[in-house]
Amino acid sequence: MITLRWLALVLCLAAAVPSNERPHRPFAVPPDQQPHQALDGIHKKLGQQPPRLLVIHRQTLQVEAQVEAHGGPSTTPLVLVGIMSGSEARRAIARCTWLRVGGNVSSVRVLFVVGRPGTHSVVSGDILYVDVREKQRMWNAGAPRPRSNGSEPEVVTGTFTTYLKQNEFLRYAATQKEKFVVRADDDVYISLPMLQAYGALLSELGSNVYAGVFEWYSWKLKGLHSTGFGFSCKAANSRARAPWRNCSQVLSNASWDQHHCVGPFAFAKGPFLLLSTEAARRVVASATFARDLARAKLLASGTEFRVKGRIDDDVHLAFWLSSLPNLRVVRIRRLSWHEQGKWSGAALSHFLAAHKLPWRLYGEMSAKIDGAWNTAKQAAVHLVCSDEPACSSAISAHASSQGTCIIEVRLKTTSTAPVCDGMNGRPTKCPFNKAEPPTAKNCWKTEANTAIVSGQLVNAFHHRDD
């Protein structure tokens, strides 16, 4: 009886609290509707078949489909990398470090995506200028406008400028010859030899590929914002059922008047993600893409109130892709794609990319990666797939025809990435500091690039525009 009285009291108190002030706790999923989490559990398939052993020649993985008849690496365009960039200093340190590693990887092309109003996708050197104003933020209805001199707060990754840059880059990439497109931030360090290896292997899957380190969200159509975050399909599936979200499976082109929330679905984390160019073409050609971009610009203008001051570009891209038929969602393991608040090192045998690697380690990291790929003769690779979609549940937004894969490349090397020196020369974790500008002393000093670093390139480090 006491228990029932306490339960009645708790229910009364909960009812008295306005819904927008209640804690957002996950709702239990009925036993007969537990989601089947193909993406979250696919790593278990890695041990079920032996890896393939492939040769490394001139820092290039020799995948059969990518090797020409004469035995050399293919020069067919493979990967186009778009770096969302607002900083000349960051572009400069990339040019004098990781962009110089793997000089024989001719099948990867890197462009920095920079805003220049009135310019429609013009390439100059290694910069793609797009018709986007830098340092642009979203305005809520009634919020104060910029001062008369036009000055605005500085904008960093995740702002409306970045959102627009991503979408303009996708438009450009959809017209290019490369098989794959990478979207990345300018504070990400990338191993180009490993990226070439991933692209060559993923070519075996066909034209519909979406790869990265995945987490989960649902999507609100009218406000263009994410909701109900989860590290797994199961967690996001539970949160999507909360009555204030009311998310369920609908077509991506549904009207928000009919259904205001879609999800959950897996999204590849934006600092580094990869998708096939064909998938990008299908996204930018869709009516949903055009509809959402028009809606985004309306929200950015402050004409309508919006809770968040940004649009999550990586989640929105995943929303567009979630309904794409026959898409392969490919999981990249976190021991290959690193995102750390404090850098603590990594094995170079698996290293693909690192978000917020401390600037001071860029030069040493480049030397180590170059050495590892120059000396390694083989790599063990896995590419394991399932015909199941990333998440099968009563409300998951993934198209039922989609499949799930996992990829792993293990270079035959024992080399490790550099770490910071602490007390008495002992290695220690070191944080990334975005306020600490990269400088020329962080470059990879070799005979091949010393002359370049000592000239015009150095001047770039003294001009920071992010």
Side-chain angles (χ1 to χ4, degrees):
M1 182 66 67
I2 295 178
T3 302
L4 292 176
R5 288 177 180 174
W6 274 107
L7 178 60
L9 178 60
V10 169
L11 291 174
C12 289
L13 290 173
V17 179
S19 61
N20 60 354
E21 297 180 8
R22 295 175 192 168
H24 290 194
R25 297 191 180 96
F27 276 49
V29 181
D32 60 338
Q33 295 184 22
Q34 284 290 344
H36 182 66
Q37 306 175 79
L39 183 64
D40 297 329
I42 197 168
H43 63 281
K44 298 175 183 177
K45 293 182 178 291
L46 287 177
Q48 297 177 6
Q49 65 182 50
R52 295 155 55 191
L53 294 178
L54 299 179
V55 172
I56 303 293
H57 175 66
R58 298 179 64 197
Q59 298 188 327
T60 303
L61 185 71
Q62 303 297 289
V63 178
E64 293 83 353
Q66 296 294 315
V67 177
E68 296 178 334
H70 57 72
S74 172
T75 57
T76 302
L78 184 62
V79 183
L80 172 62
V81 182
I83 308 292
M84 308 301 113
S85 177
S87 167
E88 176 57 34
R90 293 185 180 186
R91 295 194 286 274
I93 196 173
R95 293 184 184 115
C96 71
T97 54
W98 62 265
L99 277 170
R100 303 191 62 81
V101 180
N104 296 314
V105 183
S106 58
S107 56
V108 178
R109 179 165 61 116
V110 178
L111 292 175
F112 295 97
V113 184
V114 178
R116 180 185 285 179
T119 303
H120 297 280
S121 298
V122 173
V123 175
S124 177
D126 63 355
I127 295 180
L128 170 64
Y129 291 105
V130 294
D131 188 14
V132 176
R133 180 167 57 88
E134 295 285 355
K135 300 182 179 181
Q136 184 174 351
R137 66 173 180 171
M138 302 187 72
W139 298 96
N140 283 332
R145 288 300 197 247
R147 293 183 289 274
S148 58
N149 62 4
S151 63
E152 295 183 31
E154 289 191 346
V155 169
V156 294
T157 300
T159 61
F160 190 56
T161 292
T162 305
Y163 173 79
L164 291 177
K165 281 183 179 180
Q166 171 188 272
N167 297 333
E168 290 304 311
F169 171 65
L170 289 175
R171 290 182 196 268
Y172 170 80
T175 67
Q176 301 305 297
K177 295 181 179 180
E178 283 85 358
K179 292 183 179 180
F180 299 102
V181 176
V182 166
R183 178 255 184 263
D185 291 338
D186 62 3
D187 56 357
V188 170
Y189 185 106
I190 302 172
S191 168
L192 291 184
M194 186 64 85
L195 178 57
Q196 181 276 334
Y198 272 66
L201 288 168
L202 290 173
S203 295
E204 300 175 350
L205 295 180
S207 60
N208 286 310
V209 173
Y210 176 39
V213 169
F214 288 94
E215 294 173 358
W216 296 80
Y217 260 126
S218 292
W219 188 253
K220 292 199 172 181
L221 301 178
K222 186 175 182 179
L224 300 184
H225 70 263
S226 53
T227 184
F229 172 80
F231 281 110
S232 68
C233 164
K234 183 177 180 180
N237 196 75
S238 297
R239 288 171 171 82
R241 292 172 176 272
W244 51 84
R245 293 194 182 98
N246 189 26
C247 297
S248 66
Q249 184 179 21
V250 294
L251 297 175
S252 62
N253 61 358
S255 166
W256 58 71
D257 296 327
Q258 298 171 344
H259 196 95
H260 77 282
C261 184
V262 176
F265 51 83
F267 75 97
K269 294 170 70 66
F272 180 92
L273 61 86
L274 179 149
L275 67 154
S276 56
T277 304
E278 180 58 29
R281 291 187 183 116
R282 296 175 69 180
V283 164
V284 300
S286 68
T288 306
F289 182 81
R291 178 202 70 184
D292 287 357
L293 261 58
R295 180 69 183 164
K297 291 179 180 180
L298 182 65
L299 291 169
S301 69
T303 304
E304 294 189 23
F305 177 77
R306 190 174 189 277
V307 176
K308 291 186 177 181
R310 53 176 284 177
I311 298 177
D312 294 325
D313 45 85
D314 51 357
V315 184
H316 203 178
L317 174 57
F319 163 71
W320 288 323
L321 290 167
S322 65
S323 60
L324 203 64
N326 303 311
L327 186 74
R328 293 282 191 175
V329 179
V330 185
R331 177 176 167 182
I332 296 175
R333 303 187 70 190
R334 291 180 184 267
L335 53 78
S336 304
W337 189 122
H338 299 266
E339 186 171 38
Q340 303 181 13
K342 292 185 178 180
W343 178 254
S344 58
L348 294 187
S349 56
H350 291 78
F351 183 87
L352 170 62
H355 184 213
K356 297 183 178 179
L357 177 75
W359 305 117
R360 71 192 82 167
L361 299 179
Y362 266 50
E364 189 179 353
M365 174 70 94
S366 301
K368 287 205 166 193
I369 290 178
D370 185 68
W373 279 87
N374 267 324
T375 56
K377 303 302 181 185
Q378 280 187 324
V381 304
H382 271 111
L383 183 56
V384 183
C385 292
S386 165
D387 289 334
E388 299 173 290
C391 181
S392 299
S393 77
I395 63 173
S396 172
H398 283 279
S400 60
S401 63
Q402 292 188 355
T404 307
C405 303
I406 187 167
I407 187 171
E408 181 178 273
V409 178
R410 186 172 73 253
L411 190 68
K412 295 291 186 178
T413 181
T414 58
S415 297
T416 57
V419 293
C420 295
D421 290 333
M423 297 293 292
N424 301 320
R426 297 176 181 175
T428 183
K429 293 182 179 181
C430 48
F432 171 84
N433 184 354
K434 68 179 180 181
E436 173 191 341
T439 62
K441 68 180 180 181
N442 303 132
C443 286
W444 175 29
K445 302 299 192 300
T446 68
E447 292 181 1
N449 66 18
T450 298
I452 297 177
V453 173
S454 63
Q456 182 180 358
L457 184 59
V458 172
N459 295 329
F461 290 107
H462 303 296
H463 173 65
R464 298 184 69 241
D465 52 7
D466 70 329

